[in-house]
Amino acid sequence: MTTYHVHNTDIECIVGDIAAQSDVQAVVNAANAELQTGGGVAGALHRAAGPGLARECASMAPIGPGEAVISGGHDLPNKHVIHVLGPVYGVDEPAADYLAACHRQAIRLAETHGITSIAFPAISTGAFGYPLDEAANVAAAAVSRAVADVDAVTHVRFVLFEDFARKIYAQAFATHAV
Ligand code: AR6
């Protein structure tokens, strides 16, 4: 596995389940506006967290595209969940700006909470239809820029569901993480 080093932060891309990242303090949820359970990443995280997660999140909803909010991890192995609403590709435009904002806001929230390690899924690339290679480039550019302004966040992980997706994100970081 390749690790990219940007400023003070190590960035890695792995294949795995976002709900099973026990060695990071925060996981990012590819949420819906209502911050309730759903399919994909949101379903996996809410299932593993238990009903307390949806209960805690209810008062913070709704959120808009590009926004991020933070909750506890409940029964997840992580202290925090950072919920972001990615853009629906072709609907929430400019999609790249919203997707970049999701990554930037998540890193900023982590920083303000003193979180040192955070794991992202491939936001918007499932139900929201964002092409993987485009999303990877936006994510890599946004995260590489955002970590320049943080001290606490020293470890960023991208958790991809399949190896072809991991390769696409790793390639994007090889381009942007310089
Ligand atoms: N771990 C890591 N990656 C996963 C996992 C998992 N457990 N499950 C799916 N993926 P999606 P979106 C990958 O649909 O596009 C939900 O229903 C998946 O292969 O979770 O932002 C919410 O309620 C894909 O590449 O997020 C929202 O309504 C990527 O994660 C909506 O879908 C993101 O897929 C959000 O859509």
Side-chain angles (χ1 to χ4, degrees):
M1 180 191 52
T2 313
T3 300
Y4 303 94
H5 193 72
V6 184
H7 301 274
N8 218 14
T9 304
D10 288 329
I11 303 171
E12 61 184 6
C13 300
I14 68 161
V15 175
D17 179 353
I18 192 72
Q21 304 301 311
S22 57
D23 58 338
V24 297
Q25 294 178 351
V27 285
V28 176
N29 182 17
N32 46 60
E34 297 73 31
L35 302 175
Q36 297 301 300
T37 190
V41 167
L45 288 174
H46 278 271
R47 265 195 308 279
L53 180 62
R55 272 199 298 273
E56 182 188 354
C57 287
S59 63
M60 295 188 275
I63 62 169
E67 289 181 3
V69 293
I70 188 165
S71 72
H74 297 265
D75 293 343
L76 281 162
N78 319 98
K79 192 166 178 216
H80 300 282
V81 180
I82 295 177
H83 308 259
V84 301
L85 180 61
V88 178
Y89 193 71
V91 175
D92 298 315
E93 295 292 344
D97 290 357
Y98 285 125
L99 188 60
C102 287
H103 292 85
R104 194 168 57 238
Q105 299 301 348
I107 299 264
R108 280 193 190 149
L109 258 185
E111 177 71 13
T112 55
H113 284 76
I115 290 166
T116 59
S117 51
I118 179 171
F120 284 86
I123 299 162
S124 281
T125 66
F128 285 177
Y130 216 119
L132 214 49
D133 53 343
E134 287 181 38
N137 267 303
V138 172
V143 168
S144 300
R145 265 197 305 272
V147 297
D149 298 324
V150 297
D151 294 316
V153 182
T154 53
H155 186 183
V156 175
R157 177 180 296 160
F158 274 77
V159 181
L160 292 317
F161 226 17
E162 296 178 86
D163 197 51
F164 80 90
R166 181 198 62 77
K167 285 191 181 122
I168 290 171
Y169 274 69
Q171 182 55 50
F173 276 104
T175 306
H176 290 282
V178 287

mmCIF file of all heavy atoms in Angstrom, residues 30 65 94 96 108 117 119 141 143 155 176:
data_model
loop_
_atom_site.group_PDB
_atom_site.id
_atom_site.type_symbol
_atom_site.label_atom_id
_atom_site.label_comp_id
_atom_site.label_asym_id
_atom_site.label_seq_id
_atom_site.Cartn_x
_atom_site.Cartn_y
_atom_site.Cartn_z
ATOM 1 N N ALA A 30 -21.242 9.126 3.975
ATOM 2 C CA ALA A 30 -21.863 9.667 2.754
ATOM 3 C C ALA A 30 -23.358 9.701 3.020
ATOM 4 O O ALA A 30 -24.104 8.801 2.644
ATOM 5 C CB ALA A 30 -21.524 8.779 1.557
ATOM 6 N N PRO A 65 -26.066 20.095 0.333
ATOM 7 C CA PRO A 65 -24.874 19.582 -0.354
ATOM 8 C C PRO A 65 -23.626 20.368 0.034
ATOM 9 O O PRO A 65 -23.657 21.596 0.114
ATOM 10 C CB PRO A 65 -25.208 19.775 -1.837
ATOM 11 C CG PRO A 65 -26.684 19.869 -1.898
ATOM 12 C CD PRO A 65 -27.139 20.477 -0.600
ATOM 13 N N PRO A 94 -22.468 23.477 -9.304
ATOM 14 C CA PRO A 94 -21.401 22.651 -9.842
ATOM 15 C C PRO A 94 -21.010 21.531 -8.866
ATOM 16 O O PRO A 94 -20.596 21.804 -7.737
ATOM 17 C CB PRO A 94 -20.238 23.621 -10.055
ATOM 18 C CG PRO A 94 -20.535 24.789 -9.163
ATOM 19 C CD PRO A 94 -22.004 24.823 -8.905
ATOM 20 N N ALA A 96 -18.548 19.502 -8.683
ATOM 21 C CA ALA A 96 -17.163 19.446 -8.194
ATOM 22 C C ALA A 96 -16.965 20.385 -7.007
ATOM 23 O O ALA A 96 -16.237 20.055 -6.063
ATOM 24 C CB ALA A 96 -16.191 19.781 -9.317
ATOM 25 N N ARG A 108 -11.922 20.169 8.192
ATOM 26 C CA ARG A 108 -11.976 21.305 9.128
ATOM 27 C C ARG A 108 -12.666 20.923 10.433
ATOM 28 O O ARG A 108 -12.217 21.298 11.518
ATOM 29 C CB ARG A 108 -12.727 22.480 8.500
ATOM 30 C CG ARG A 108 -11.857 23.266 7.558
ATOM 31 C CD ARG A 108 -12.531 24.578 7.209
ATOM 32 N NE ARG A 108 -11.782 25.215 6.124
ATOM 33 C CZ ARG A 108 -12.315 25.995 5.201
ATOM 34 N NH1 ARG A 108 -13.616 26.252 5.230
ATOM 35 N NH2 ARG A 108 -11.569 26.521 4.276
ATOM 36 N N SER A 117 -7.112 11.241 13.244
ATOM 37 C CA SER A 117 -7.216 10.273 12.141
ATOM 38 C C SER A 117 -8.656 10.184 11.662
ATOM 39 O O SER A 117 -9.597 10.122 12.464
ATOM 40 C CB SER A 117 -6.735 8.903 12.600
ATOM 41 O OG SER A 117 -7.371 8.521 13.809
ATOM 42 N N ALA A 119 -11.290 8.608 8.319
ATOM 43 C CA ALA A 119 -11.437 7.747 7.136
ATOM 44 C C ALA A 119 -12.633 8.205 6.311
ATOM 45 O O ALA A 119 -13.730 8.419 6.842
ATOM 46 C CB ALA A 119 -11.620 6.294 7.560
ATOM 47 N N ALA A 141 -7.628 16.449 -4.825
ATOM 48 C CA ALA A 141 -7.222 17.863 -4.868
ATOM 49 C C ALA A 141 -7.690 18.579 -3.604
ATOM 50 O O ALA A 141 -6.928 19.342 -2.983
ATOM 51 C CB ALA A 141 -7.808 18.527 -6.117
ATOM 52 N N VAL A 143 -8.546 17.351 -0.569
ATOM 53 C CA VAL A 143 -7.910 16.887 0.670
ATOM 54 C C VAL A 143 -6.446 17.354 0.707
ATOM 55 O O VAL A 143 -5.963 17.806 1.750
ATOM 56 C CB VAL A 143 -8.023 15.355 0.803
ATOM 57 C CG1 VAL A 143 -7.116 14.830 1.908
ATOM 58 C CG2 VAL A 143 -9.476 14.974 1.076
ATOM 59 N N HIS A 155 -3.528 11.788 9.858
ATOM 60 C CA HIS A 155 -3.739 10.527 9.151
ATOM 61 C C HIS A 155 -5.099 10.553 8.453
ATOM 62 O O HIS A 155 -6.128 10.666 9.120
ATOM 63 C CB HIS A 155 -3.667 9.371 10.155
ATOM 64 C CG HIS A 155 -3.722 8.019 9.527
ATOM 65 N ND1 HIS A 155 -3.734 6.852 10.237
ATOM 66 C CD2 HIS A 155 -3.788 7.645 8.229
ATOM 67 C CE1 HIS A 155 -3.791 5.825 9.417
ATOM 68 N NE2 HIS A 155 -3.830 6.277 8.193
ATOM 69 N N HIS A 176 -2.084 14.545 -7.167
ATOM 70 C CA HIS A 176 -2.356 15.782 -6.415
ATOM 71 C C HIS A 176 -1.515 15.935 -5.144
ATOM 72 O O HIS A 176 -1.324 17.056 -4.680
ATOM 73 C CB HIS A 176 -3.837 15.847 -6.038
ATOM 74 C CG HIS A 176 -4.723 16.081 -7.230
ATOM 75 N ND1 HIS A 176 -4.866 17.317 -7.805
ATOM 76 C CD2 HIS A 176 -5.484 15.233 -7.945
ATOM 77 C CE1 HIS A 176 -5.689 17.222 -8.845
ATOM 78 N NE2 HIS A 176 -6.079 15.972 -8.957
#
